[in-house]
Amino acid sequence: MILESLHPLEIKLLQSFRDKEVLASKEIIDKGLMDGSRLDMASNWLIKKGLIEISGEDITSSVSLTETGKDYYENNIPELRILSALHEGKSLTVKDISQTFHLDPLEVSSALGLLKESGVTQIVQGGLIEFKSGGDANRFESLQDIIRFIGEKGIADLNLLSNEQREIIEVHCRKRGKSKGIFRISEKKNRIFSLTESGKTILSALPERGETGKEVSQLTPEMLKEGTWRNITFRKYNISLNPPRISIGKKHPYREFLDFVKYKFVAMGFEEVRGPLIENEFWNMDVLYMPQFHPARDIHDVYLIKEPSHCKEIEKPFGNRVAETHTNGGNTGSKGWRYPFDLKRAKRLILRSQGTTISARTLASKPKIPGKYFSIARCFRYDTVDATHAPDFYQIEGIVLGEEINFKTLLGLLRLLGEEIAMVKEFRFLPAYFPFTEPSVELHGKHPKLGWIELGGAGIFRPEVTIPLGVKEPVIAWGLGLDRMAMVALGINDIRDLFSKDLDFIRTKKTGFKG
Amino acid sequence: MPTIDIKKKDLEKLVGKKLTISRLEDSLTLAKAELKEYNTGTDELKVELSDSNRPDLWSVEGIARQIRGHLAGKPASYPFFATKKKPVRKIKVSRDMKEVRPYIAACAALGLRMNEESLVQMIQSQDKLSDIFGRKRRMVSIGIYELDRIVFPVDYRLAEPEEVSFTPLGMDERMNLKEILERHPKGITYGPVVGAFKKYPVLIDSHRQVLSFPPIINSRETGEVKTGTKNILVEVTGTDLRMVLLAINILSVNLYDRGAGIEHVLISYPYSTDLGNKIITPHSMLEPVKISIKEITKTLGEDMPPREIRKHLESYGHKVSIRKDSLFVHYPPYRDDIMHPVDTIEDVAISKGYGSFKPEMPQRSTLGGLSRIELFSDLIRDFMVGSGFQEIVSNVLGSSEELIEWMGVDEKLIEIENIMSRSYSVVRNRILPFLLKVEASSSKAFYPHRIFEIGEVGVYDPSENLGSKTGLNLGSLISHSEVSFSEIHSYLDLLFYYTGFSYRLEPAEHPIFMSGRCGNIIVEGRPLGLIGEISPVILDRWQISMPCSAFEINLDSLIL
């Protein structure tokens, strides 16, 4: 298993242990078997696989010249250049130096400073530089000697230099942030690798497998064209490694859930319908026989639109019919709510607060009989946004109309929705209250994870709703609350996460529906 | 939906039977009530009532009545409604009440044995009725008094703000009406109900004792009921006669259920009401409703003999007579929710038990299908996903900061008047700001980012009846260090090629996009959207530090 997945570099490194069970990294590099970075990779892999181990480690510090150092190697350090010019009898001013020797002002001022400090030169009137007796220029010569020594070798082991020399080097060493160093010190780890027992086994098995370290990794178009692949051995991969991450296109997990619901409804013979986000109170409430003084119509339950605040008109003949139904029941056989209906109030624009609004509009547009309709509607409620309340949310609701509709088919249909959409097998039907249905029922189901939960509400539309809209047949109205189920399916605890803005979260969320 | 706290023992006493918790939960469905909590230590039940049209159920007496009837199989009887005895007590309404708070109803309850629990429950039902049914006392409010301290007749009239004074409940000093509105906690809370008037309602007895300042507060002298009080006066005032009468009926049957004798009060009006100018309260205003048996069996989908239907209705509180193929239903005087025969039909179903109906499937088949726009939108979603884009679902509501200021545009949005939070105060008119919102919070997600959303937008349009148009838009955005106009253009180009639309880009300048790198998307001569590299000005406002290219098109005008 290990044998088959070895990388060519690993094989190459293992092969070098054939003569010697202990090898230093310096030796491997010096022999030209592998360069430092490849050795690091290959040795780390083999260590992880337990084929070799580190049995010792020492650090070698070596010194080389920086670009500035190389310049000084060729042209001497600034201090010596100034001194030799003075020796030649040239008269130099501070200004001249920088131009004559192509040195930058910082180097010049540092050199003059050091010369003055050593008492070799002095600056007299007019910026003229003159020799001064009694000074000691040895330190500059010693520095130049070291530069020369290293310059000739290219790289020198720091340990081979005297203490005095090391001190000088450290002073002139390139340090972080300072570009003008002369020397560069680099530390190199020399690791001692030794073959482990399993390393020995693998090594002895290598020739039998014919693994030479010359196996090729990539099959190329050229190999295919030229047929050279026939003579090439391809490396076997370690396929248990984690693949790199890639970015792909996919549907949003919440939309996937809603798509699932959508396809189920279509399969059950439901037609999809839509409606406007911005509604008037008429279609959102009045048509649904919610009296204008109903507590759920309070300013604290519905979002009102600022401008325009009212729609232009209520569709005829529905406006008058609904007004009459509220006032005295109209021709619906009802006593009505018995209050003066305010048509202006009906025109008030709001954000749709319930999906049933779309059902009302569907009823008013000559629906098929028998017919089944559903919508997945964004709705808005005046609520503080928290873990259980999103500022806007989806309601799944619809209607079923036809001569066959009665209380028993209402229960049958609800059970079907529970089985197909909520995938629940045990049900309870409880009496409920909705202003627009009578009888009304709540569907509770036994969810495998949540226990008994309310799945939705339904009922037979009151005649006060259907007759003014021109529908004489009984109509089932139902609505399902599936947010909690979607959250469980997607492993989400906060409803706001259904609308997450975090791309990483959306990308990594697993699909909640495997069909 | 009201929630009430009751004691299980008290409920059992009123029902006349001990109930296990699971039996109780079942029984509560008769009242459309749900048990929210049960504290075995204090014996307290928290019950939520769902029927906002049945205020008679918002009390322990009401719930017990519904259960008791079901156990007995017959309606509770409240003979006092039918009494012919002439009332000995009278309330005179003055003419000026008509404009302020025109209606009042009252009854006397005698021989109560008021204990702590019945007092707590009486106050709770008073609160729920005036708060929820009475719309925070605006339409209905209730006062309860120690009967024996009142000298009848009582006047219901208006008084000048400083004309009368009394010691209100909860205070130690006498206050006039103006002071009560200014300083008494109840005056501050409920003052707005009458605050707009120059004079305020008072109840004053014939010894010039002020009983109360309806709907604000009672007097301490007459209006403080304690444990041990035997005889009380209950009064309801309000702006709607039917609601006032319903409230006094509910309160009187509750007291009767606690063992009190109920006596009527005569209300005399100087103006006419729907029931004339002399009304004896409590008042049973109900006439029998005729329902055809066929309508019941058809609606329920269940053939039942008339006698069985009668049995179910009687267990639910109705009195029923059968005549030929119809039922005449006298519904109880504490209910005023029955507007249509369907309301009575639901009572039959609840009384019979929803669980006893066998669910059936409608047999006739119907054709299912998606709307054209939904089908089209699904097609585009598949295309985008196949092109490597991650789908996003955002909220429809946002802030004008996000949609206007940070987008550098000057457009009219659909704004919410009664905003709850600034962050959700306008309806989005395009998708792009929400894609930028994703980018602004996803700099740690590895690049490239390719995202899209198809979703509804609300666009201000004064020519529309509703003042706006709901549209379906596709917004799409790419973000990575080398993103370009041509990259996003390639996707748009393929999208139009694939869906068979011919389009052209018309160079445009738009604040969202970089100058010279933006185009109007024109399909069949109509501008349907924008494409371009997002301007660094916009990216900077959103604090996005990765270049973005994007397009947005309106889908419904593309296919409609």
PDB file of all heavy atoms in Angstrom, chain A residues 259 262 269 272 274 304 312 335 404 407-408 440 462 507, chain B residues 299 302 331 343 346 354 363 371 374 378 417-418 446 462:
ATOM      1  N   ASP A 259     -38.564  23.909  -3.664  1.00  0.00           N
ATOM      2  CA  ASP A 259     -38.762  23.225  -4.947  1.00  0.00           C
ATOM      3  C   ASP A 259     -39.404  21.857  -4.734  1.00  0.00           C
ATOM      4  O   ASP A 259     -40.308  21.464  -5.457  1.00  0.00           O
ATOM      5  CB  ASP A 259     -37.417  23.030  -5.671  1.00  0.00           C
ATOM      6  CG  ASP A 259     -36.929  24.307  -6.333  1.00  0.00           C
ATOM      7  OD1 ASP A 259     -37.736  25.256  -6.449  1.00  0.00           O
ATOM      8  OD2 ASP A 259     -35.751  24.367  -6.725  1.00  0.00           O
ATOM      9  N   LYS A 262     -42.938  22.361  -4.083  1.00  0.00           N
ATOM     10  CA  LYS A 262     -43.574  22.778  -5.335  1.00  0.00           C
ATOM     11  C   LYS A 262     -43.859  21.556  -6.227  1.00  0.00           C
ATOM     12  O   LYS A 262     -44.975  21.409  -6.727  1.00  0.00           O
ATOM     13  CB  LYS A 262     -42.573  23.717  -6.016  1.00  0.00           C
ATOM     14  CG  LYS A 262     -43.060  24.559  -7.117  1.00  0.00           C
ATOM     15  CD  LYS A 262     -42.002  25.642  -7.395  1.00  0.00           C
ATOM     16  CE  LYS A 262     -40.939  25.120  -8.329  1.00  0.00           C
ATOM     17  NZ  LYS A 262     -39.900  26.128  -8.621  1.00  0.00           N
ATOM     18  N   GLY A 269     -51.755  17.580  -8.434  1.00  0.00           N
ATOM     19  CA  GLY A 269     -52.771  18.224  -9.263  1.00  0.00           C
ATOM     20  C   GLY A 269     -53.049  19.673  -8.901  1.00  0.00           C
ATOM     21  O   GLY A 269     -54.115  20.197  -9.212  1.00  0.00           O
ATOM     22  N   GLU A 272     -49.998  26.351  -9.741  1.00  0.00           N
ATOM     23  CA  GLU A 272     -49.315  27.396  -8.989  1.00  0.00           C
ATOM     24  C   GLU A 272     -49.868  28.761  -9.365  1.00  0.00           C
ATOM     25  O   GLU A 272     -50.114  29.042 -10.536  1.00  0.00           O
ATOM     26  CB  GLU A 272     -47.815  27.346  -9.303  1.00  0.00           C
ATOM     27  CG  GLU A 272     -46.981  28.245  -8.439  1.00  0.00           C
ATOM     28  CD  GLU A 272     -46.115  29.202  -9.230  1.00  0.00           C
ATOM     29  OE1 GLU A 272     -46.087  29.127 -10.474  1.00  0.00           O
ATOM     30  OE2 GLU A 272     -45.486  30.053  -8.595  1.00  0.00           O
ATOM     31  N   ARG A 274     -49.766  33.229  -8.283  1.00  0.00           N
ATOM     32  CA  ARG A 274     -48.919  34.272  -7.675  1.00  0.00           C
ATOM     33  C   ARG A 274     -49.725  35.529  -7.419  1.00  0.00           C
ATOM     34  O   ARG A 274     -50.826  35.680  -7.935  1.00  0.00           O
ATOM     35  CB  ARG A 274     -47.757  34.611  -8.615  1.00  0.00           C
ATOM     36  CG  ARG A 274     -46.981  33.398  -9.056  1.00  0.00           C
ATOM     37  CD  ARG A 274     -46.028  33.752 -10.161  1.00  0.00           C
ATOM     38  NE  ARG A 274     -44.833  34.378  -9.630  1.00  0.00           N
ATOM     39  CZ  ARG A 274     -43.732  33.722  -9.295  1.00  0.00           C
ATOM     40  NH1 ARG A 274     -43.690  32.427  -9.426  1.00  0.00           N
ATOM     41  NH2 ARG A 274     -42.681  34.347  -8.830  1.00  0.00           N
ATOM     42  N   LEU A 304     -47.832  49.057   6.958  1.00  0.00           N
ATOM     43  CA  LEU A 304     -48.547  49.992   6.080  1.00  0.00           C
ATOM     44  C   LEU A 304     -47.547  50.637   5.131  1.00  0.00           C
ATOM     45  O   LEU A 304     -46.409  50.909   5.501  1.00  0.00           O
ATOM     46  CB  LEU A 304     -49.229  51.077   6.919  1.00  0.00           C
ATOM     47  CG  LEU A 304     -50.153  50.594   8.036  1.00  0.00           C
ATOM     48  CD1 LEU A 304     -50.605  51.772   8.897  1.00  0.00           C
ATOM     49  CD2 LEU A 304     -51.361  49.890   7.439  1.00  0.00           C
ATOM     50  N   LYS A 312     -55.919  53.068  -6.095  1.00  0.00           N
ATOM     51  CA  LYS A 312     -56.857  53.951  -6.792  1.00  0.00           C
ATOM     52  C   LYS A 312     -58.290  53.435  -6.691  1.00  0.00           C
ATOM     53  O   LYS A 312     -59.213  54.194  -6.451  1.00  0.00           O
ATOM     54  CB  LYS A 312     -56.449  54.061  -8.257  1.00  0.00           C
ATOM     55  CG  LYS A 312     -55.161  54.851  -8.417  1.00  0.00           C
ATOM     56  CD  LYS A 312     -54.704  54.852  -9.854  1.00  0.00           C
ATOM     57  CE  LYS A 312     -53.334  55.486  -9.917  1.00  0.00           C
ATOM     58  NZ  LYS A 312     -52.599  55.101 -11.102  1.00  0.00           N
ATOM     59  N   LYS A 335     -75.777  37.027   8.626  1.00  0.00           N
ATOM     60  CA  LYS A 335     -76.219  38.284   9.221  1.00  0.00           C
ATOM     61  C   LYS A 335     -75.181  39.385   8.977  1.00  0.00           C
ATOM     62  O   LYS A 335     -75.438  40.559   9.156  1.00  0.00           O
ATOM     63  CB  LYS A 335     -76.381  38.118  10.741  1.00  0.00           C
ATOM     64  CG  LYS A 335     -77.590  37.260  11.121  1.00  0.00           C
ATOM     65  CD  LYS A 335     -77.957  37.458  12.582  1.00  0.00           C
ATOM     66  CE  LYS A 335     -77.130  36.514  13.438  1.00  0.00           C
ATOM     67  NZ  LYS A 335     -77.520  36.586  14.879  1.00  0.00           N
ATOM     68  N   GLU A 404     -67.445  18.253  -4.574  1.00  0.00           N
ATOM     69  CA  GLU A 404     -67.151  17.160  -3.626  1.00  0.00           C
ATOM     70  C   GLU A 404     -66.664  17.659  -2.267  1.00  0.00           C
ATOM     71  O   GLU A 404     -66.450  16.856  -1.375  1.00  0.00           O
ATOM     72  CB  GLU A 404     -66.033  16.282  -4.193  1.00  0.00           C
ATOM     73  CG  GLU A 404     -66.410  15.428  -5.348  1.00  0.00           C
ATOM     74  CD  GLU A 404     -65.190  14.661  -5.820  1.00  0.00           C
ATOM     75  OE1 GLU A 404     -64.274  15.282  -6.394  1.00  0.00           O
ATOM     76  OE2 GLU A 404     -65.140  13.454  -5.583  1.00  0.00           O
ATOM     77  N   PHE A 407     -66.542  18.502   4.885  1.00  0.00           N
ATOM     78  CA  PHE A 407     -65.638  18.387   6.026  1.00  0.00           C
ATOM     79  C   PHE A 407     -64.756  17.134   5.922  1.00  0.00           C
ATOM     80  O   PHE A 407     -63.574  17.163   6.255  1.00  0.00           O
ATOM     81  CB  PHE A 407     -66.457  18.370   7.322  1.00  0.00           C
ATOM     82  CG  PHE A 407     -65.623  18.452   8.559  1.00  0.00           C
ATOM     83  CD1 PHE A 407     -64.875  19.583   8.823  1.00  0.00           C
ATOM     84  CD2 PHE A 407     -65.558  17.395   9.462  1.00  0.00           C
ATOM     85  CE1 PHE A 407     -64.085  19.674   9.967  1.00  0.00           C
ATOM     86  CE2 PHE A 407     -64.770  17.479  10.605  1.00  0.00           C
ATOM     87  CZ  PHE A 407     -64.037  18.612  10.861  1.00  0.00           C
ATOM     88  N   LYS A 408     -65.319  16.039   5.420  1.00  0.00           N
ATOM     89  CA  LYS A 408     -64.541  14.801   5.354  1.00  0.00           C
ATOM     90  C   LYS A 408     -63.475  14.852   4.257  1.00  0.00           C
ATOM     91  O   LYS A 408     -62.360  14.340   4.432  1.00  0.00           O
ATOM     92  CB  LYS A 408     -65.464  13.593   5.139  1.00  0.00           C
ATOM     93  CG  LYS A 408     -66.103  13.165   6.460  1.00  0.00           C
ATOM     94  CD  LYS A 408     -67.336  12.354   6.249  1.00  0.00           C
ATOM     95  CE  LYS A 408     -67.026  10.867   6.219  1.00  0.00           C
ATOM     96  NZ  LYS A 408     -68.287  10.086   6.220  1.00  0.00           N
ATOM     97  N   SER A 440     -63.315  25.108  10.820  1.00  0.00           N
ATOM     98  CA  SER A 440     -61.874  25.301  10.730  1.00  0.00           C
ATOM     99  C   SER A 440     -61.176  24.173  11.464  1.00  0.00           C
ATOM    100  O   SER A 440     -61.712  23.643  12.439  1.00  0.00           O
ATOM    101  CB  SER A 440     -61.462  26.624  11.378  1.00  0.00           C
ATOM    102  OG  SER A 440     -62.191  27.699  10.826  1.00  0.00           O
ATOM    103  N   ARG A 462     -65.826  30.449   4.379  1.00  0.00           N
ATOM    104  CA  ARG A 462     -67.182  30.892   4.707  1.00  0.00           C
ATOM    105  C   ARG A 462     -67.868  31.346   3.421  1.00  0.00           C
ATOM    106  O   ARG A 462     -67.214  31.894   2.531  1.00  0.00           O
ATOM    107  CB  ARG A 462     -67.128  32.073   5.680  1.00  0.00           C
ATOM    108  CG  ARG A 462     -66.431  31.798   7.006  1.00  0.00           C
ATOM    109  CD  ARG A 462     -66.586  33.017   7.913  1.00  0.00           C
ATOM    110  NE  ARG A 462     -67.979  33.186   8.282  1.00  0.00           N
ATOM    111  CZ  ARG A 462     -68.492  32.757   9.428  1.00  0.00           C
ATOM    112  NH1 ARG A 462     -67.728  32.173  10.333  1.00  0.00           N
ATOM    113  NH2 ARG A 462     -69.764  32.923   9.682  1.00  0.00           N
ATOM    114  N   ARG A 507     -22.502  27.856   0.897  1.00  0.00           N
ATOM    115  CA  ARG A 507     -21.788  26.868   0.085  1.00  0.00           C
ATOM    116  C   ARG A 507     -21.658  25.525   0.792  1.00  0.00           C
ATOM    117  O   ARG A 507     -21.723  24.476   0.175  1.00  0.00           O
ATOM    118  CB  ARG A 507     -20.374  27.382  -0.202  1.00  0.00           C
ATOM    119  CG  ARG A 507     -20.272  28.302  -1.394  1.00  0.00           C
ATOM    120  CD  ARG A 507     -18.850  28.836  -1.454  1.00  0.00           C
ATOM    121  NE  ARG A 507     -18.566  29.525  -2.694  1.00  0.00           N
ATOM    122  CZ  ARG A 507     -17.438  30.181  -2.912  1.00  0.00           C
ATOM    123  NH1 ARG A 507     -16.505  30.239  -1.976  1.00  0.00           N
ATOM    124  NH2 ARG A 507     -17.234  30.792  -4.047  1.00  0.00           N
TER     125      ARG A 507
ATOM    126  N   THR B 299     -72.487  19.666   4.199  1.00  0.00           N
ATOM    127  CA  THR B 299     -71.242  20.350   4.568  1.00  0.00           C
ATOM    128  C   THR B 299     -70.301  19.411   5.303  1.00  0.00           C
ATOM    129  O   THR B 299     -69.082  19.470   5.127  1.00  0.00           O
ATOM    130  CB  THR B 299     -71.546  21.582   5.435  1.00  0.00           C
ATOM    131  OG1 THR B 299     -72.445  22.418   4.718  1.00  0.00           O
ATOM    132  CG2 THR B 299     -70.287  22.366   5.769  1.00  0.00           C
ATOM    133  N   GLU B 302     -71.450  13.796   5.971  1.00  0.00           N
ATOM    134  CA  GLU B 302     -71.789  12.674   6.853  1.00  0.00           C
ATOM    135  C   GLU B 302     -73.310  12.646   7.037  1.00  0.00           C
ATOM    136  O   GLU B 302     -73.896  13.651   7.440  1.00  0.00           O
ATOM    137  CB  GLU B 302     -71.103  12.897   8.213  1.00  0.00           C
ATOM    138  CG  GLU B 302     -71.344  11.801   9.200  1.00  0.00           C
ATOM    139  CD  GLU B 302     -70.122  10.923   9.396  1.00  0.00           C
ATOM    140  OE1 GLU B 302     -69.299  10.829   8.464  1.00  0.00           O
ATOM    141  OE2 GLU B 302     -70.015  10.342  10.473  1.00  0.00           O
ATOM    142  N   TYR B 331     -79.413  29.561  19.972  1.00  0.00           N
ATOM    143  CA  TYR B 331     -78.068  29.509  20.550  1.00  0.00           C
ATOM    144  C   TYR B 331     -78.013  30.325  21.839  1.00  0.00           C
ATOM    145  O   TYR B 331     -78.865  31.174  22.082  1.00  0.00           O
ATOM    146  CB  TYR B 331     -76.995  29.877  19.548  1.00  0.00           C
ATOM    147  CG  TYR B 331     -77.147  31.165  18.800  1.00  0.00           C
ATOM    148  CD1 TYR B 331     -76.565  32.330  19.279  1.00  0.00           C
ATOM    149  CD2 TYR B 331     -77.845  31.196  17.591  1.00  0.00           C
ATOM    150  CE1 TYR B 331     -76.682  33.500  18.570  1.00  0.00           C
ATOM    151  CE2 TYR B 331     -77.969  32.375  16.892  1.00  0.00           C
ATOM    152  CZ  TYR B 331     -77.388  33.531  17.378  1.00  0.00           C
ATOM    153  OH  TYR B 331     -77.512  34.686  16.696  1.00  0.00           O
ATOM    154  N   ASP B 343     -71.678  28.351  11.012  1.00  0.00           N
ATOM    155  CA  ASP B 343     -71.141  28.446  12.371  1.00  0.00           C
ATOM    156  C   ASP B 343     -71.733  27.352  13.258  1.00  0.00           C
ATOM    157  O   ASP B 343     -71.049  26.800  14.115  1.00  0.00           O
ATOM    158  CB  ASP B 343     -71.447  29.834  12.949  1.00  0.00           C
ATOM    159  CG  ASP B 343     -70.704  30.929  12.201  1.00  0.00           C
ATOM    160  OD1 ASP B 343     -69.466  30.941  12.238  1.00  0.00           O
ATOM    161  OD2 ASP B 343     -71.374  31.766  11.560  1.00  0.00           O
ATOM    162  N   GLU B 346     -70.222  23.898  12.307  1.00  0.00           N
ATOM    163  CA  GLU B 346     -68.934  23.615  12.953  1.00  0.00           C
ATOM    164  C   GLU B 346     -69.157  23.115  14.383  1.00  0.00           C
ATOM    165  O   GLU B 346     -68.457  22.208  14.850  1.00  0.00           O
ATOM    166  CB  GLU B 346     -68.025  24.851  12.975  1.00  0.00           C
ATOM    167  CG  GLU B 346     -66.656  24.496  13.552  1.00  0.00           C
ATOM    168  CD  GLU B 346     -65.731  25.691  13.747  1.00  0.00           C
ATOM    169  OE1 GLU B 346     -65.958  26.470  14.713  1.00  0.00           O
ATOM    170  OE2 GLU B 346     -64.795  25.841  12.956  1.00  0.00           O
ATOM    171  N   TYR B 354     -63.818  15.900  15.989  1.00  0.00           N
ATOM    172  CA  TYR B 354     -63.174  15.875  14.664  1.00  0.00           C
ATOM    173  C   TYR B 354     -62.596  14.496  14.372  1.00  0.00           C
ATOM    174  O   TYR B 354     -62.574  14.033  13.244  1.00  0.00           O
ATOM    175  CB  TYR B 354     -62.055  16.928  14.583  1.00  0.00           C
ATOM    176  CG  TYR B 354     -62.524  18.335  14.278  1.00  0.00           C
ATOM    177  CD1 TYR B 354     -63.879  18.681  14.344  1.00  0.00           C
ATOM    178  CD2 TYR B 354     -61.614  19.327  13.924  1.00  0.00           C
ATOM    179  CE1 TYR B 354     -64.304  19.974  14.057  1.00  0.00           C
ATOM    180  CE2 TYR B 354     -62.019  20.625  13.636  1.00  0.00           C
ATOM    181  CZ  TYR B 354     -63.365  20.948  13.705  1.00  0.00           C
ATOM    182  OH  TYR B 354     -63.764  22.216  13.426  1.00  0.00           O
ATOM    183  N   GLN B 363     -62.620  12.692  -5.334  1.00  0.00           N
ATOM    184  CA  GLN B 363     -62.354  11.703  -6.379  1.00  0.00           C
ATOM    185  C   GLN B 363     -61.987  12.329  -7.720  1.00  0.00           C
ATOM    186  O   GLN B 363     -61.254  11.737  -8.496  1.00  0.00           O
ATOM    187  CB  GLN B 363     -63.584  10.793  -6.556  1.00  0.00           C
ATOM    188  CG  GLN B 363     -63.854   9.931  -5.329  1.00  0.00           C
ATOM    189  CD  GLN B 363     -62.656   9.051  -4.965  1.00  0.00           C
ATOM    190  OE1 GLN B 363     -62.138   8.295  -5.781  1.00  0.00           O
ATOM    191  NE2 GLN B 363     -62.179   9.178  -3.721  1.00  0.00           N
ATOM    192  N   SER B 371     -46.873  28.061 -12.986  1.00  0.00           N
ATOM    193  CA  SER B 371     -47.133  29.231 -13.818  1.00  0.00           C
ATOM    194  C   SER B 371     -45.986  29.385 -14.808  1.00  0.00           C
ATOM    195  O   SER B 371     -44.885  28.876 -14.598  1.00  0.00           O
ATOM    196  CB  SER B 371     -47.251  30.474 -12.946  1.00  0.00           C
ATOM    197  OG  SER B 371     -46.013  30.723 -12.326  1.00  0.00           O
ATOM    198  N   GLU B 374     -42.892  30.916 -13.326  1.00  0.00           N
ATOM    199  CA  GLU B 374     -42.155  30.020 -12.435  1.00  0.00           C
ATOM    200  C   GLU B 374     -41.345  29.005 -13.249  1.00  0.00           C
ATOM    201  O   GLU B 374     -40.200  28.712 -12.927  1.00  0.00           O
ATOM    202  CB  GLU B 374     -43.132  29.312 -11.486  1.00  0.00           C
ATOM    203  CG  GLU B 374     -42.487  28.424 -10.428  1.00  0.00           C
ATOM    204  CD  GLU B 374     -41.770  29.197  -9.334  1.00  0.00           C
ATOM    205  OE1 GLU B 374     -41.940  30.435  -9.249  1.00  0.00           O
ATOM    206  OE2 GLU B 374     -41.031  28.556  -8.558  1.00  0.00           O
ATOM    207  N   ASP B 378     -37.348  28.727 -13.206  1.00  0.00           N
ATOM    208  CA  ASP B 378     -36.643  27.473 -12.905  1.00  0.00           C
ATOM    209  C   ASP B 378     -35.607  27.144 -13.985  1.00  0.00           C
ATOM    210  O   ASP B 378     -34.513  26.657 -13.694  1.00  0.00           O
ATOM    211  CB  ASP B 378     -37.637  26.319 -12.779  1.00  0.00           C
ATOM    212  CG  ASP B 378     -38.302  26.298 -11.409  1.00  0.00           C
ATOM    213  OD1 ASP B 378     -37.885  27.100 -10.545  1.00  0.00           O
ATOM    214  OD2 ASP B 378     -39.237  25.500 -11.202  1.00  0.00           O
ATOM    215  N   GLU B 417     -44.589  52.594   6.453  1.00  0.00           N
ATOM    216  CA  GLU B 417     -44.880  53.756   7.294  1.00  0.00           C
ATOM    217  C   GLU B 417     -44.629  53.447   8.772  1.00  0.00           C
ATOM    218  O   GLU B 417     -43.956  54.187   9.470  1.00  0.00           O
ATOM    219  CB  GLU B 417     -46.339  54.180   7.088  1.00  0.00           C
ATOM    220  CG  GLU B 417     -46.667  55.470   7.790  1.00  0.00           C
ATOM    221  CD  GLU B 417     -48.061  55.956   7.426  1.00  0.00           C
ATOM    222  OE1 GLU B 417     -48.285  56.263   6.246  1.00  0.00           O
ATOM    223  OE2 GLU B 417     -48.914  56.002   8.328  1.00  0.00           O
ATOM    224  N   ASN B 418     -45.152  52.319   9.224  1.00  0.00           N
ATOM    225  CA  ASN B 418     -44.996  51.958  10.644  1.00  0.00           C
ATOM    226  C   ASN B 418     -43.821  51.002  10.793  1.00  0.00           C
ATOM    227  O   ASN B 418     -44.006  49.822  11.072  1.00  0.00           O
ATOM    228  CB  ASN B 418     -46.284  51.315  11.176  1.00  0.00           C
ATOM    229  CG  ASN B 418     -46.763  50.168  10.301  1.00  0.00           C
ATOM    230  OD1 ASN B 418     -46.459  50.102   9.118  1.00  0.00           O
ATOM    231  ND2 ASN B 418     -47.501  49.253  10.889  1.00  0.00           N
ATOM    232  N   PHE B 446     -13.560  31.435  -0.062  1.00  0.00           N
ATOM    233  CA  PHE B 446     -12.531  31.446  -1.091  1.00  0.00           C
ATOM    234  C   PHE B 446     -13.086  31.857  -2.451  1.00  0.00           C
ATOM    235  O   PHE B 446     -14.224  31.595  -2.785  1.00  0.00           O
ATOM    236  CB  PHE B 446     -11.783  30.109  -1.146  1.00  0.00           C
ATOM    237  CG  PHE B 446     -12.612  28.972  -1.673  1.00  0.00           C
ATOM    238  CD1 PHE B 446     -12.502  28.573  -2.992  1.00  0.00           C
ATOM    239  CD2 PHE B 446     -13.479  28.295  -0.843  1.00  0.00           C
ATOM    240  CE1 PHE B 446     -13.273  27.530  -3.491  1.00  0.00           C
ATOM    241  CE2 PHE B 446     -14.246  27.252  -1.330  1.00  0.00           C
ATOM    242  CZ  PHE B 446     -14.147  26.875  -2.652  1.00  0.00           C
ATOM    243  N   PRO B 462     -46.540  54.845 -10.013  1.00  0.00           N
ATOM    244  CA  PRO B 462     -47.807  55.526  -9.692  1.00  0.00           C
ATOM    245  C   PRO B 462     -48.890  55.256 -10.721  1.00  0.00           C
ATOM    246  O   PRO B 462     -50.069  55.511 -10.447  1.00  0.00           O
ATOM    247  CB  PRO B 462     -47.418  57.010  -9.670  1.00  0.00           C
ATOM    248  CG  PRO B 462     -46.107  57.106 -10.357  1.00  0.00           C
ATOM    249  CD  PRO B 462     -45.438  55.780 -10.241  1.00  0.00           C
TER     250      PRO B 462
END
